[in-house]
């Protein structure tokens, strides 16, 4: 046997994408290596207490053990789990093979993919929030302890971003509402369901969520002073075209509250009919017809009625992608070391629900 090990055909080196192509990289960065050198110097120090009798108890092995523990605590406290991995992709395998033992879990994928940086990109913000909302509804107990800690760290960054930029607070309110409802059920049923961690930690997390909800409730939108061209100065046909670009009914209602002109345009029957036709099939219309007082179909009420029974189409500026050839999940702009002759033909966009379905066994 050429090599004695659990996996003699290892997956290989770690690779990072650069402007010149894919290059092999070390496991840790130079900054972490410098931290190692500084922590190694600690192992040569002598721990002295006030009692002379205890001085003999500290030998070289104790010092080395203490140094290793300090090094582990250093990385745990000062290293962001989202930035610890150089590659921003993960191989999705659902069963053990000769090359890989075990299988990929939802928590592992959540840790390995760069969600901390993704929320700073406006194209990916809604995608990450929707993914966190789906996890909160059904998959929260499937996350490992490290993944749950990472989940709430990312959620904290999302709330702070909304408080600072005032971007889409309604979406975050829905996420926190679903998360608080799930936690209330899990905490009441402790012992019946699996909750990783002490119950007091989850109670503190629930209190933090309630605090975030109160902060978002008291959020006051800053009124921007601009002497230039405003939305109200645009012609009616341009305002109408803007409304027709919206895919969410609540966004149309919110925009209609800005000015009386926008309110008039937001109540257009044809606008809501197009929205219903975009999200739902005609067979679904027949089951939930809602006529108005004049005998016409009330397409606005129809949209919200259908939304309760059927899922709507989701639109995102950018999503995770899955390579069918390599079975790798990754962000498209970061790429992955694909071995296919034409990688673009193997890519498949992954919706938030599809992301969770990939790790259901």
């Amino acid at each position: 046997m050429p090599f004695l090990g659990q996996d003699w055909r290892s997956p290989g080196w770690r690779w990072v994408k650069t402007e010149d192509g894919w290059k092999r990289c070390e496991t840790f960065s130079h900054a972490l290596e410098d931290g190692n050198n500084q922590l190694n110097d600690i192992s040569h120090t002598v721990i002295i207490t006030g009692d002379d009798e205890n001085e003999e108890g500290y030998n070289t092995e104790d010092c080395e053990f203490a140094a290793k523990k300090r090094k582990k605590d250093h990385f745990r406290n000062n290293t962001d789990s989202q930035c610890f991995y150089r590659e921003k992709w993960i191989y999705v395998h659902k069963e053990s093979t000769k090359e890989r033992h075990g299988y990929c879990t939802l928590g592992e994928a959540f840790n390995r993919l760069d969600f901390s940086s993704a929320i700073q990109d406006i194209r990916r913000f809604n995608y990450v929030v929707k993914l966190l909302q789906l996890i909160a509804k059904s998959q929260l107990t499937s996350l490992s302890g490290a993944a749950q800690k990472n989940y709430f760290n990312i959620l904290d960054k999302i709330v702070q971003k909304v408080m600072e930029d005032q971007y889409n607070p309604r979406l975050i309110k829905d996420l926190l509402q679903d998360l608080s409802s799930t936690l209330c059920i899990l905490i009441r049923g402790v012992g019946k369901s699996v909750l990783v961690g002490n119950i007091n930690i989850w109670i503190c997390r629930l209190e933090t969520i309630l605090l975030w909800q109160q902060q978002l409730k008291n959020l006051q939108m800053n009124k921007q002073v601009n002497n230039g061209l405003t939305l109200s100065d645009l012609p009616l046909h341009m305002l109408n075209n803007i409304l027709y670009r919206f895919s969410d009914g609540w966004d149309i209602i919110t925009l209609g509250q800005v000015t009386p002109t926008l309110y008039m345009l937001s109540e257009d029957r044809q606008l809501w009919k197009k929205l219903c036709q975009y999200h739902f099939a005609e067979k679904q219309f027949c089951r939930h017809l809602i006529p108005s007082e004049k005998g016409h179909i009330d397409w606005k009420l129809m949209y919200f009625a259908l939304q309760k029974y059927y899922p709507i189409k989701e639109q995102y500026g950018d999503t995770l992608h899955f390579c069918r050839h390599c079975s790798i999940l990754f962000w498209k702009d970061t790429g992955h070391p694909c071995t296919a002759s034409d990688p673009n033909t193997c890519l498949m966009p992954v919706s938030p629900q599809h992301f969770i379905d990939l790790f259901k066994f």
Side-chain angles (χ1 to χ4, degrees):
M1 183 177 292
F3 180 80
L4 295 177
Q6 185 180 13
D7 186 6
W8 61 275
R9 293 186 297 179
S10 63
W13 295 85
R14 296 179 183 273
W15 296 82
V16 61
K17 188 176 182 181
T18 63
E19 296 180 354
D20 300 329
W22 290 91
K23 291 186 177 181
R24 193 176 68 189
C25 64
E26 299 297 333
T27 306
F28 303 103
S29 63
H30 296 291
L32 295 179
E33 291 178 357
D34 294 340
N36 280 339
N37 296 332
Q38 295 176 1
L39 292 171
N40 288 333
D41 295 338
I42 302 177
S43 61
H44 299 289
T45 61
V46 180
I47 304 175
I48 301 177
T49 62
D51 299 330
D52 295 337
E53 297 178 357
N54 295 334
E55 291 183 9
E56 297 178 357
Y58 294 98
N59 52 26
T60 305
E61 294 181 357
D62 294 333
C63 291
E64 291 180 355
F65 177 79
K68 290 180 179 179
K69 188 176 185 304
R70 282 190 294 270
K71 187 187 300 183
K72 183 178 180 180
D73 294 339
H74 171 79
F75 290 129
R76 181 180 298 172
N77 297 331
N78 298 314
T79 304
D80 188 357
S81 59
Q82 282 288 314
C83 301
F84 184 78
Y85 301 97
R86 281 182 172 270
E87 65 273 11
K88 306 303 179 185
W89 49 267
I90 186 170
Y91 178 80
V92 180
H93 53 107
K94 297 186 177 182
E95 58 184 6
S96 297
T97 62
K98 293 182 178 180
E99 292 80 10
R100 296 178 182 270
H101 292 270
Y103 55 89
C104 182
T105 63
L106 176 63
E108 184 181 358
F110 191 81
N111 283 336
R112 292 287 295 270
L113 297 171
D114 193 15
F115 289 109
S116 292
S117 300
I119 61 176
Q120 304 300 328
D121 191 338
I122 194 173
R123 301 172 303 164
R124 302 175 180 174
F125 183 84
N126 292 357
Y127 181 87
V128 177
V129 172
K130 182 63 176 180
L131 177 60
L132 264 62
Q133 188 175 13
L134 292 177
I135 292 176
K137 288 181 177 179
S138 60
Q139 301 296 322
L140 191 61
T141 56
S142 301
L143 299 179
S144 63
Q148 289 175 357
K149 182 179 179 181
N150 187 22
Y151 178 96
F152 283 94
N153 287 337
I154 295 175
L155 185 59
D156 182 30
K157 295 179 180 179
I158 290 176
V159 174
Q160 298 305 321
K161 179 178 175 61
V162 173
M163 296 296 295
E164 294 174 2
D165 300 343
Q166 301 177 349
Y167 176 74
N168 207 345
R170 178 176 57 84
L171 191 64
I172 313 305
K173 290 179 181 178
D174 295 340
L175 166 60
L176 293 179
Q177 181 61 38
D178 292 336
L179 184 57
S180 61
S181 301
T182 301
L183 286 185
C184 288
I185 296 173
L186 293 176
I187 291 175
R188 292 195 193 111
V190 63
K192 300 179 182 179
S193 59
V194 179
L195 269 178
V196 179
N198 190 283
I199 187 64
N200 295 324
I201 296 177
W202 287 100
I203 293 176
C204 292
R205 287 173 176 171
L206 181 58
E207 292 176 351
T208 303
I209 293 172
L210 297 177
L211 177 61
W212 286 339
Q213 289 179 316
Q214 188 64 33
Q215 291 176 349
L216 291 174
K217 184 178 180 180
N218 298 332
L219 179 63
Q220 298 292 332
M221 294 294 180
N222 296 330
K223 188 174 182 179
Q224 298 181 355
V225 179
N226 189 357
N227 297 327
L229 187 66
T230 63
L231 187 65
S232 303
D233 298 327
L234 296 177
L236 288 178
H237 71 278
M238 295 186 66
L239 294 175
N240 200 39
N241 287 336
I242 292 174
L243 286 170
Y244 270 83
R245 296 296 186 273
F246 282 75
S247 61
D248 191 339
W250 284 110
D251 291 337
I252 296 176
I253 292 177
T254 303
L255 185 59
Q257 296 174 352
V258 177
T259 62
T261 303
L262 288 172
Y263 175 77
M264 177 191 66
L265 295 174
S266 66
E267 293 294 321
D268 183 23
R269 290 181 60 254
Q270 191 66 23
L271 171 65
W272 290 98
K273 180 179 179 180
K274 291 289 185 182
L275 192 64
C276 289
Q277 292 175 342
Y278 172 76
H279 287 288
F280 310 105
E282 293 185 3
K283 293 182 179 179
Q284 299 169 345
F285 297 159
C286 301
R287 301 175 184 176
H288 304 278
L289 289 176
I290 303 178
S292 62
E293 297 178 356
K294 298 181 180 180
H296 302 292
I297 298 177
D298 194 332
W299 291 104
K300 182 179 179 180
L301 293 179
M302 174 82 77
Y303 169 80
F304 290 104
L306 293 173
Q307 194 179 29
K308 296 179 181 179
Y309 299 99
Y310 310 104
I312 62 175
K313 292 183 180 179
E314 299 177 356
Q315 284 186 336
Y316 302 102
D318 190 16
T319 66
L320 287 168
H321 282 69
F322 182 75
C323 179
R324 293 187 294 267
H325 178 78
C326 306
S327 297
I328 287 179
L329 193 65
F330 63 99
W331 293 106
K332 190 174 182 181
D333 59 347
T334 58
H336 72 288
C338 186
T339 58
S341 57
D342 189 3
N344 293 329
T345 59
C346 305
L347 302 186
M348 178 180 64
V350 178
S351 66
Q353 184 61 52
H354 187 197
F355 175 88
I356 294 178
D357 294 339
L358 283 174
F359 303 99
K360 287 184 179 180
F361 307 112

